[in-house]
Amino acid sequence: MGEGGALVERDWWTVEFGDAHAGAVGVLVGGSEPGPVYFDVGSGPDVPSTTHWSAYDGRHRRPRAEALRAACACGWRGAAEYPLDWDTIDDQPLYEADVDLAGPLADWNAHLSLVRDRAVPLPEPLAALLVEITEQLTATATDTPLAALRAAGVLERIAARVGRQAAGALCDGGVSAETVATGLGTTRSTALVLLLTAQDG
């Protein structure tokens, strides 16, 4: 559960782009996206809510999804709509129904391909090294988890230092936040934070 009682909404996620392009199945009711669904858990300051597609099943006075589409954390929405067959679903909760999500997933993957095409390519030796490090860390986490945790900490510190240096170089070169966002495959706000942090450092 996230901040303010909101449940985790994403359905798909990649290491490459992280939360900036987390994918989800979007819901359409009456041609537009409905607001969040709130869960009645009795008294208390925090009322859990969600916009996860499976909550829009018309039960307990919730809105009933008419169609699904791909959605991305960056704000992108898929053009294709995938109507739900409620005659087949009947009165099942959506999370129990065999809903085909292949269409939205394919649309989100196509969106990621465009983001990837615009992003700055990694040098081949560096890309290969990252794959190797990932494989080594994954294996070490199974065999000697404490060593893997130590290695992860070292990598985090290296990444933080190098990231500040790289962001500082971009600041010195007058590179805009928009250009940085496109090159990283992230949002403008994230790119702006990176550049401002480099300036403060």
Side-chain angles (χ1 to χ4, degrees):
M1 186 173 294
E3 295 180 3
L7 302 178
V8 175
E9 312 296 349
R10 71 187 185 201
D11 294 297
W12 310 300
W13 189 87
T14 65
V15 172
E16 185 177 10
F17 297 114
D19 291 340
H21 289 285
V25 177
V27 169
L28 290 171
V29 176
S32 61
E33 294 184 10
V37 166
Y38 292 91
F39 299 95
D40 184 5
V41 293
S43 59
D46 294 326
V47 180
S49 67
T50 185
T51 56
H52 193 265
W53 66 274
S54 62
Y56 296 87
D57 55 12
R59 300 159 64 88
H60 308 295
R61 295 181 293 180
R62 301 171 190 158
R64 191 167 84 164
E66 297 169 1
L68 305 177
R69 66 177 176 183
C72 184
C74 71
W76 171 87
R77 295 293 183 269
E81 298 178 6
Y82 302 90
L84 287 171
D85 184 357
W86 283 102
D87 289 337
T88 301
I89 297 171
D90 198 21
D91 62 351
Q92 295 181 82
L94 274 180
Y95 64 85
E96 293 181 358
D98 187 20
V99 178
D100 185 2
L101 303 179
L105 174 57
D107 295 341
W108 176 72
N109 278 323
H111 164 65
L112 282 195
S113 293
L114 294 176
V115 173
R116 191 174 292 112
D117 289 344
R118 291 193 299 264
V120 62
L122 293 177
E124 281 299 326
L126 180 57
L129 181 60
L130 289 174
V131 171
E132 183 180 353
I133 289 174
T134 301
E135 292 173 349
Q136 291 273 2
L137 277 177
T138 301
T140 305
T142 300
D143 299 334
T144 50
L146 192 56
L149 195 58
R150 182 183 177 198
V154 172
L155 285 175
E156 286 177 2
R157 291 186 288 277
I158 292 172
R161 187 190 71 220
V162 174
R164 285 193 299 270
Q165 291 174 349
L170 292 171
C171 285
D172 294 342
V175 180
S176 69
E178 290 79 5
T179 299
V180 172
T182 300
L184 297 182
T186 191
T187 61
R188 182 184 182 279
S189 59
T190 299
L192 194 57
V193 169
L194 290 172
L195 295 175
L196 290 175
T197 301
Q199 289 177 335
D200 293 341

